[in-house]
Amino acid sequence: MATLEVTQLTKLFGSLLAVDRLNFSLRTGEVLGMIGPNGAGKTTVFNIIAGVDRPTSGQVRFEGTLVSGMKPHRICRLGVAKTSQTAEPFLGLSVIENVLVAALHGGRLRMRQARDRAEEILLFLGLERYRHQRAAVLSVAQRRRLDLARTLATGARVILLDENMAGLNPHEIDETLDLLRKIRETGKSMIVVEHLMRAVMGISDRVIVLDHGTKIAEGTPKEVVDNEQVIRAYLGTKTTGF
């Protein structure tokens, strides 16, 4: 069953065609990878799904509800949330305060419930020891994890991860992949945008490939890395091990 459906999605910035009649769906509990060269339209797609940008044409439906064109806070409260390419927590707030703000923003929670949810998420993601530290003193990896914690705290059922592993070392990437697998086990659906092929191929059930705003391939990780058009447009060489 599709929890998110993107149909004929098109986005123009002036005369620049950023996304061209894109179609794809995300199934409940699925991890969908989205890859492509810089400028392929991946972040634009995320911004449209999350309500940051409006599509020029086409539509996005979440659990059957038309969400394209809605304000971001409404889409978030329905159950779709995204991380940012650059983690931007409230630097003057503590870790738990950052997560608490997100839990309250998600709606329908009293303060005690929101605090309980924040504590549970910090424990789940291994951030409980930093709960009272200001976000400003966290490392890049810790800020990335805090960004993920805030997204989970909204209660989102669909999570959009926009290069959440950028800037991490191999050990931190492995830890993040383990966390994403744990999150998937809770029934969440995810779309993962990454340039780190080992990461996106290691976690994804399916992968779609964008080039100049157009979907040029879709399939399992192995099918995608063996696709000659994908190799020419993005990979450069055939990738093995998937």
Side-chain angles (χ1 to χ4, degrees), residues 8-11 17-23 212-215:
Q8 291 291 296
L9 196 66
T10 299
K11 179 63 178 178
L17 182 60
V19 181
D20 185 13
R21 294 167 295 178
L22 178 64
N23 296 285
H212 295 97
T214 301
K215 183 173 69 174

Side-chain angles (χ1 to χ4, degrees), residues 34-43 163 193-195 197 208-214 216 229-230 232-235:
M34 184 183 296
I35 64 172
N38 288 329
K42 304 181 296 297
T43 295
E163 298 190 36
V193 166
E194 281 292 343
H195 285 293
M197 293 300 295
I208 63 174
V209 187
L210 302 186
D211 186 32
H212 295 97
T214 301
I216 62 171
Q229 188 176 5
V230 175
R232 289 194 302 271
Y234 182 52
L235 299 179

Side-chain angles (χ1 to χ4, degrees), residues 121-231:
I121 289 170
L122 292 182
L123 183 62
F124 182 74
L125 295 181
L127 287 171
E128 70 279 3
R129 74 188 75 174
Y130 308 110
R131 59 164 57 85
H132 297 305
Q133 290 190 16
R134 286 193 308 116
V137 304
L138 298 181
S139 67
V140 170
Q142 290 162 350
R143 288 191 189 188
R144 291 285 187 195
R145 196 168 293 199
L146 176 56
D147 203 21
L148 181 57
R150 295 196 302 166
T151 303
L152 290 174
T154 66
R157 298 183 294 285
V158 168
I159 299 171
L160 312 176
L161 297 167
D162 197 355
E163 298 190 36
N164 192 247
M165 287 173 264
L168 304 188
N169 64 41
H171 176 68
E172 291 164 344
I173 291 169
D174 287 339
E175 288 184 334
T176 301
L177 289 173
D178 286 341
L179 284 175
L180 296 185
R181 293 185 184 103
K182 286 173 59 179
I183 291 169
R184 176 171 55 185
E185 289 170 2
T186 69
K188 306 287 188 187
S189 306
M190 291 180 275
I191 305 179
V192 179
V193 166
E194 281 292 343
H195 285 293
L196 298 164
M197 293 300 295
R198 177 175 73 86
V200 73
M201 295 300 182
I203 192 65
S204 301
D205 300 304
R206 283 187 300 132
V207 178
I208 63 174
V209 187
L210 302 186
D211 186 32
H212 295 97
T214 301
K215 183 173 69 174
I216 62 171
E218 178 176 353
T220 66
K222 186 177 189 314
E223 289 169 341
V224 164
V225 299
D226 286 343
N227 185 297
E228 291 297 331
Q229 188 176 5
V230 175
I231 293 170

